[in-house]
Amino acid sequence: MNNYKKIILHPGWPYLLAGVFITTSAQANESIELEEIQVRAHYDNAVGTSDAASEGKVNASLIKNRPIARIGEILEFVPGMIVTQHSGSGKANQFYLRGFNLDHGTDFATYVDEMPVNMRTHAHGQGYTDLNFLIPELVSHLHYKKGPYSAEEGDFSSAGVARMHLVNQLPQGIASLTIGSYDYQRLLLANSVAAGPGHLLYALDVNHYDGPWQVAEGVKKYNGLLRYSEGDAHDSMTLTAMAYHNQWNSTDQIPLRAVRSGQLGRFDAVDPSDGGDSSRYSLSFSKQHRDQQGSWQVSAYAVRSALDLYSNFTYFLNDPVNGDQFNQSEKRTMLGINASKSWLGELVGMPMENKLGLQTRYDKLSPVALYNTAQAQRLSLIRSDKVEESSAGVYAENTLWWHEKLRTVAGLRYDRYQFDVKSSINGNSGNTSDGITSPKLSVIFGPWASTEFFYNIGKGFHSNDARGTTQTRLANGSAASPVTPLVSTRGSEVGVRTEWIPGLQSSLALWQLDIDSELLFIGDAGETEPSRASRRTGVEWNNHYVVSDWLLLDMDLSLSKARFTEHDPAGQYIPGSINKVASLGATVTNWGNWFGSMQLRYFGPRALLEDNSVRSNSTLLTYARIGYRYNPRTTLTLDVFNLFDRKASDIDYYYESQLRGEATAVEGKHFHPVEPRSARLTLTYNF
C-alpha cells in the first residue's frame, strides 16, 4: 500500500530515500519540499533506519496479524526473544534473550510510551516486567534495540530494550468477543472520538481463563484506558490514564519425579493455594515539538501498583507441617520525569545532530515484605522493608555525517542512584548511593548496493535490589555483605544489514557482552543472588521477506554461548542460559477475504547446573491463525496454540525439594509444562 506525504529536507543534510542518499544544497536559503512514496510494511527495518544491525521496529500491522497466547508474548516480536511462564498467567513472564535467562526482566528494559515497566527492588525479583496491563490492539509499534550501545537507554537494558508505543486514535472502533478452550473468554471494546481540538481514545478489556490445570486458574483480569491527544507531527500532546486489576490461582513448577511415579499429573499442583492478586494504575503525560532546527520532548508519569503473590517451590523441605509457601507482597508508588532536546547543526561543513536528555525516577515501597504462609494465610513475618529509591540519568549524544557513506553516533551517559532502606531486620537499615558512567559509540558505513555495515561498542549497567545494598545479615540470621548497587556491563557488536535482494530485509550481528556480576535464580529459596562475572557471545541472523503484498515470510536464528569468567570447581556454565533460538513464520494479510499466519518457535536445551551435568529438554511450538473477513466491518478469526499438541516444558529448573511423605530432600528437575493444544475463536466488529 502506497501513500504520498510531504517531508522537509534541511539544507546540506543527507537523506536516505528508497535506499538512495539525497543531499540538498548546503547553500540553499530555505528548506524544500519533496514528494516521497512511503511503503507501509510490517517492519520499519530498512537500510538507513537504525544505528545497529540488531535494532528494528515492528508495526501494528504485523502485531495484529499474529496470534499470541498471553500478552507477554508480544515481546517475541523482538528477534531471538523467548517468553515463557513458570506460574499462573497473572504473574510476569520469564524471558530469554542473547544467552540470558532474564528471569522476569533483569537485563531487558521495557517501556510503554515513556513509562518504564521494569520494577526495581521488587517483591518477586529485580526488574520484574509484568505486561498484563497492556492491550495489544492499542500498540502502534514496537521499537527494539539490543546491547548497551544507545545513550538513551539506562538501567536493565544491557541485553536489550523494547519500547512499545500506543496509538492516539483508531481508524474504526473495535468490539470483539473471544471464546476458547479451557473456558477462555475475552471482551474488548475500544474506540476514539473527537474531543475539542483533539481525540479521546477509550478501551475496556475483560478476560477470564481457567487453563488446563487441575486447579483452575480462575483468571479475572480487567484493563481500562483513557487517552486524550491533540496536535500533529510538529506539535503534539498526550494524556493517558490506565487501570489494571487481576486475580488468579497458579500451578507453579512441579517435580519431574512425581510425574514419572504417577503421584502427579502434568497439570497438577503440589500446593493448590498458590496464586496472586495484582493491580496497576497510571497517569502519564507527554508533549513534543519538532521544527527545522530540531525537537524537544517532555514526559511525566505516576504509577501506583500492588502485588500479593503466593508461591511454594520446595513444598515441605523447610516446614514439614505447614509447608514452604510464602507470600511476597508490595505496595509501590513510582514517579518520573523525562526531558530531551535535539538540535541540528554543522561541524566544519559536516551535518550534525546533538541530543541532551534527562531521566528521573522515584520508587517508594511501603512496604515490600515476605511472609511464611499456609493455604494463602500468613503465619509469620520473614522481613518487611520500607524503601525509597531515586535515580537520575543524564545523557548526551552526537550524530555526525562524515560522508554520505559514513556516520558516527557517540554518546555518554551518567546515572546516580540513592537507596534508603528501613528494615525489620536489625542491621539491615541504612542509606547508600552509587553512580556509573557509560560511554557509547556506533559507526555506520554505507549503503553500498543497499547494504549497510555497523560497529557498536558501549558500557551499560543494571541496578541491584536496594535491600541488598544495605544488608549485613540474611533473614535466617547469618551474616551477609552488601551487594554492589550498580553492576557494570560492557558490550560490542559487528553487523550488516542488506536489502540487496528485492523484498528481503536481512541482518547479521556478531556480539559479545561482559557482566561484572551475574544474578542467579536459587530455586530452594525462590530468590536471586549475585554471583561471578560472566561473558556471553553470539550470532544472530534475522530475515523478513515480503513475497507479495499479501504474503510475508520470517526467519530468525540466534546462537549464543554463556560462561562464567571466574573459575570455580562447580563449573563455568550459567544455569538456565539459553543458547539456541529459532523462529519461522508466514503471514498472509489479504488473500481475497482470507488472512492468517503460522509461527514456529524453537528454544534449545539449557544447562541447569554449573558443570552442565544436567540439561533441560528443547521446546518446539507452533501457533496458527486463519481468519475470514465477511465484510469491511466484520471478521472471524480462529487461533490454535501448540498446534501439534507437543508435551514440552515452558521452563525447567534443577534444585532440592521435598514432597509430603518423602523422608528426605531430593535433588531433581522441576518443570512447568507448556499448555496443550487449544483454540480461540474471535468475532470482531468495527464501527
Side-chain angles (χ1 to χ4, degrees):
M1 176 180 175
N2 296 336
N3 74 300
Y4 293 82
K5 70 174 184 178
K6 298 283 188 177
I7 64 170
I8 303 296
L9 295 185
H10 303 289
W13 279 65
Y15 290 85
L16 188 71
L17 301 178
V20 178
F21 264 108
I22 298 175
T23 306
T24 61
S25 169
Q27 285 75 39
N29 293 321
E30 59 184 59
S31 297
I32 63 173
E33 292 187 347
L34 179 71
E35 279 195 356
E36 175 204 11
I37 297 178
Q38 181 185 32
V39 180
R40 295 181 181 266
H42 295 306
Y43 296 92
D44 188 6
N45 293 354
V47 169
T49 61
S50 64
D51 298 327
S54 57
E55 180 182 352
K57 185 186 292 184
V58 180
N59 293 326
S61 58
L62 182 61
I63 294 172
K64 74 177 184 180
N65 277 297
R66 283 193 187 161
I68 56 176
R70 46 203 174 203
I71 181 57
E73 290 177 3
I74 195 170
L75 290 184
E76 288 195 353
F77 286 101
V78 178
M81 174 73 84
I82 292 293
V83 179
T84 67
Q85 183 58 275
H86 74 98
S87 187
S89 56
K91 183 180 176 182
N93 292 103
Q94 196 97 2
F95 305 101
Y96 293 86
L97 180 73
R98 284 202 163 186
F100 280 91
N101 174 355
L102 294 162
D103 195 30
H104 297 290
T106 305
D107 284 287
F108 189 85
T110 306
Y111 296 83
V112 173
D113 288 333
E114 298 302 313
M115 285 191 298
V117 181
N118 302 72
M119 296 295 184
R120 53 201 195 185
T121 310
H122 190 268
H124 186 68
Q126 183 71 347
Y128 188 82
T129 302
D130 184 1
L131 286 168
N132 278 295
F133 69 92
L134 188 65
I135 301 174
E137 289 83 355
L138 302 185
V139 176
S140 69
H141 64 275
L142 183 157
H143 184 193
Y144 62 85
K145 306 173 189 175
K146 299 179 190 175
Y149 318 130
S150 171
E152 182 183 8
E153 313 303 344
D155 200 2
F156 304 121
S157 65
S158 294
V161 59
R163 291 182 175 269
M164 287 167 282
H165 298 269
L166 303 179
V167 299
N168 289 334
Q169 58 187 103
L170 294 168
Q172 292 178 300
I174 303 172
S176 71
L177 174 65
T178 304
I179 57 173
S181 306
Y182 310 113
D183 204 20
Y184 182 92
Q185 302 163 32
R186 183 184 182 226
L187 176 66
L188 172 66
L189 179 66
N191 196 15
S192 56
V193 295
H199 290 85
L200 181 67
L201 172 69
Y202 64 85
L204 176 65
D205 180 3
V206 181
N207 182 215
H208 170 79
Y209 184 50
D210 284 339
W213 319 103
Q214 291 299 312
V215 178
E217 275 200 62
V219 169
K220 297 177 182 177
K221 183 171 80 167
Y222 305 91
N223 279 330
L225 177 142
L226 282 174
R227 182 180 181 96
Y228 176 77
S229 63
E230 62 179 44
D232 53 26
H234 297 287
D235 285 282
S236 63
M237 182 276 289
T238 61
L239 181 64
T240 308
M242 303 178 74
Y244 158 74
H245 185 255
N246 198 352
Q247 288 181 299
W248 70 97
N249 304 313
S250 64
T251 296
D252 291 338
Q253 65 255 25
I254 57 176
L256 180 61
R257 64 182 184 274
V259 176
R260 286 177 171 173
S261 69
Q263 183 178 352
L264 292 176
R266 286 178 58 82
F267 304 105
D268 280 343
V270 176
D271 191 334
S273 63
D274 289 349
D277 188 309
S278 181
S279 63
R280 185 185 192 276
Y281 304 93
S282 67
L283 183 66
S284 60
F285 168 83
S286 179
K287 184 171 179 60
Q288 56 187 2
H289 170 81
R290 294 186 178 92
D291 57 31
Q292 297 178 15
Q293 284 71 47
S295 65
W296 57 263
Q297 181 176 1
V298 176
S299 64
Y301 56 86
V303 179
R304 179 65 174 171
S305 64
L307 174 71
D308 272 297
L309 189 63
Y310 297 88
S311 308
N312 188 344
F313 302 134
T314 53
Y315 321 123
F316 294 92
L317 176 68
N318 302 313
D319 187 338
V321 177
N322 296 305
D324 298 349
Q325 189 186 70
F326 54 90
N327 168 214
Q328 294 165 314
S329 178
E330 72 161 54
K331 290 182 172 62
R332 177 188 304 262
T333 299
M334 181 173 72
L335 306 172
I337 297 176
N338 304 314
S340 65
K341 178 174 175 58
S342 63
W343 61 94
L344 312 178
E346 289 187 357
L347 180 64
V348 293
M350 295 182 292
M352 177 175 65
E353 180 180 12
N354 291 304
K355 184 176 183 179
L356 290 176
L358 169 68
Q359 298 164 348
T360 66
R361 176 173 168 178
Y362 169 78
D363 291 70
K364 181 178 182 180
L365 293 109
S366 53
V368 53
L370 182 64
Y371 300 88
N372 286 313
T373 59
Q375 300 297 306
Q377 299 298 313
R378 291 175 179 173
L379 301 177
S380 61
L381 175 68
I382 299 173
R383 69 176 298 170
S384 178
D385 302 86
K386 293 184 177 180
V387 177
E388 293 185 62
E389 181 174 345
S390 56
S391 65
V394 293
Y395 65 92
E397 192 170 72
N398 169 267
T399 302
L400 183 62
W401 283 264
W402 300 80
H403 186 268
E404 65 178 24
K405 304 290 187 183
L406 172 64
R407 76 177 187 274
T408 58
V409 183
L412 185 65
R413 181 183 181 94
Y414 179 75
D415 289 88
R416 189 74 185 175
Y417 277 64
Q418 180 71 38
F419 307 90
D420 185 358
V421 179
K422 295 179 177 63
S423 179
S424 64
I425 300 176
N426 290 333
N428 279 5
S429 298
N431 295 278
T432 189
S433 61
D434 198 7
I436 194 166
T437 302
S438 307
K440 327 270 186 175
L441 177 65
S442 296
V443 184
I444 302 94
F445 304 92
W448 293 278
S450 299
T451 302
E452 275 184 311
F453 300 88
F454 305 86
Y455 175 70
N456 311 92
I457 190 169
K459 183 179 175 183
F461 74 98
H462 70 235
S463 63
N464 273 329
D465 192 302
R467 293 167 291 181
T469 66
T470 60
Q471 69 183 10
T472 61
R473 62 184 62 251
L474 301 178
N476 61 13
S478 59
S481 299
V483 300
T484 303
L486 305 180
V487 177
S488 175
T489 64
R490 295 164 301 282
S492 60
E493 181 176 309
V494 176
V496 59
R497 171 173 291 162
T498 182
E499 297 178 64
W500 182 66
I501 299 175
L504 174 65
Q505 293 179 348
S506 184
S507 62
L508 181 70
L510 304 174
W511 59 271
Q512 176 176 297
L513 184 67
D514 294 320
I515 299 182
D516 285 347
S517 176
E518 193 73 32
L519 284 173
L520 288 182
F521 178 82
I522 309 301
D524 59 0
E527 299 175 348
T528 56
E529 70 176 20
S531 184
R532 293 173 278 162
S534 64
R535 167 169 290 182
R536 288 170 172 81
T537 57
V539 57
E540 293 173 333
W541 185 32
N542 305 320
N543 301 273
H544 312 303
Y545 183 35
V546 181
V547 181
S548 67
D549 60 359
W550 57 268
L551 178 61
L552 171 70
L553 301 178
D554 293 286
M555 181 182 73
D556 299 320
L557 301 175
S558 177
L559 303 175
S560 56
K561 177 182 177 182
R563 298 290 187 272
F564 291 116
T565 53
E566 299 172 14
H567 178 73
D568 190 296
Q572 301 304 109
Y573 286 79
I574 302 174
S577 295
I578 198 165
N579 64 353
K580 297 182 183 71
V581 176
S583 176
L584 303 174
T587 303
V588 175
T589 53
N590 292 291
W591 190 40
N593 290 340
W594 294 92
F595 59 92
S597 67
M598 182 171 287
Q599 193 75 16
L600 178 149
R601 65 164 182 146
Y602 166 87
F603 59 105
R606 286 88 61 203
L608 300 182
L609 292 176
E610 286 91 336
D611 62 4
N612 197 32
S613 60
V614 181
R615 294 178 64 81
S616 72
N617 295 321
S618 61
T619 299
L620 177 66
L621 296 177
T622 305
Y623 290 179
R625 164 175 288 183
I626 185 169
Y628 185 78
R629 188 170 292 103
Y630 284 93
N631 55 53
R633 293 183 178 273
T634 309
T635 59
L636 187 66
T637 305
L638 176 66
D639 294 334
V640 182
F641 304 98
N642 194 2
L643 178 65
F644 300 110
D645 201 24
R646 296 182 65 92
K647 293 178 173 59
S649 295
D650 240 352
I651 200 163
D652 294 282
Y653 301 105
Y654 189 91
Y655 59 86
E656 189 179 64
S657 67
Q658 187 171 346
L659 295 167
R660 189 186 293 277
E662 289 181 330
T664 60
V666 180
E667 284 192 339
K669 281 187 180 181
H670 299 69
F671 76 103
H672 193 262
V674 299
E675 298 189 18
R677 180 170 51 227
S678 62
R680 297 175 188 172
L681 187 66
T682 301
L683 177 65
T684 302
Y685 179 75
N686 296 115
F687 59 93

